[in-house]
Amino acid sequence: MRKAAPLAWLWLLLSPFAIAKAEVRWPNTLLNRWRATALLETLNAEILASPSATVSLEKWCGAHRLARDPRLVAEKVEGAAPRPLSPEQRRRLGIGPDEPVNYRHVRLRCGDHVLSEADNWYLPSRLTPEMNRALETTHAPFGRVVRPLGLWRRTFEVRLLWSPLAAPGDAENLAPPQALFEHRAVLYTKDNLPFSEVDEVYRRDVLDFPPDSAQ
């Protein structure tokens, strides 16, 4: 009689994150360079128009079937040294030099795909105790935790870090770098009270699906 699988293996088989990450290649054709450009412009525009990057990335993950369960997980980067707020950042948040600020450095993961990496400075005094507890003890993305605040965001810097149209023409496949584009934004409550600043770098895994499925 065949032995039952150990519980650890059974969990892996049933987990929504158990999809093996297969290598996806985009042949370096003019059509694929235009496809990649259009996709990145679309994602960039969707995040800029949305009150929450979490919502935009979960929609993207679901639309392009990057995982069985498109809900994001915020994977805390262990050992990341806190980045203190500059005086300019404190001015954007409307706080003085002594206001306590918490720092969170995470990778937003959809299944086996890391879609972005973010630095997040937030004001615990402007969140509820339940929100602060969730941010300190769980892997919930920031946007999901603070959604009851009726958040909206003002993006003050956008940097495009890679252009598919500028890819070397003699390469067999497109080879995007780790970082594709970056957003810096301030998050506000529905009452226009700033409570967080984020620095988000969107990664090449956002294109980790076959190019012929990108319609």
Side-chain angles (χ1 to χ4, degrees), residues 1-2 77 100 108 123 142 188:
M1 182 175 178
R2 189 176 178 180
V77 179
L108 290 180
L123 306 180
F142 190 79
Y188 295 81

Side-chain angles (χ1 to χ4, degrees), residues 141-158:
F142 190 79
R144 188 184 304 148
V145 171
V146 301
R147 192 173 299 166
L149 297 177
L151 77 156
W152 62 277
R153 53 193 277 149
R154 178 181 65 83
T155 303
F156 61 87
E157 184 177 352
V158 176

Side-chain angles (χ1 to χ4, degrees), residues 26-102:
W26 283 57
N28 186 16
T29 65
L30 181 59
L31 175 59
N32 281 342
R33 291 199 293 272
W34 276 110
R35 278 174 169 166
T37 299
L39 284 164
L40 292 180
E41 289 179 351
T42 297
L43 178 59
N44 186 45
E46 288 178 354
I47 295 170
L48 289 173
S50 173
S52 169
T54 299
V55 171
S56 296
L57 288 177
E58 287 184 339
K59 288 181 178 178
W60 185 266
C61 183
H64 296 289
R65 302 179 181 180
L66 295 178
R68 291 194 185 101
D69 182 354
R71 284 172 64 86
L72 295 185
V73 172
E75 178 183 82
K76 295 181 182 179
V77 179
E78 300 298 336
R83 292 172 56 187
L85 278 183
S86 68
E88 182 181 1
Q89 288 175 300
R90 286 184 173 270
R91 283 194 296 273
R92 283 195 288 267
L93 291 172
I95 57 174
D98 299 323
E99 176 76 21
V101 178
N102 287 355

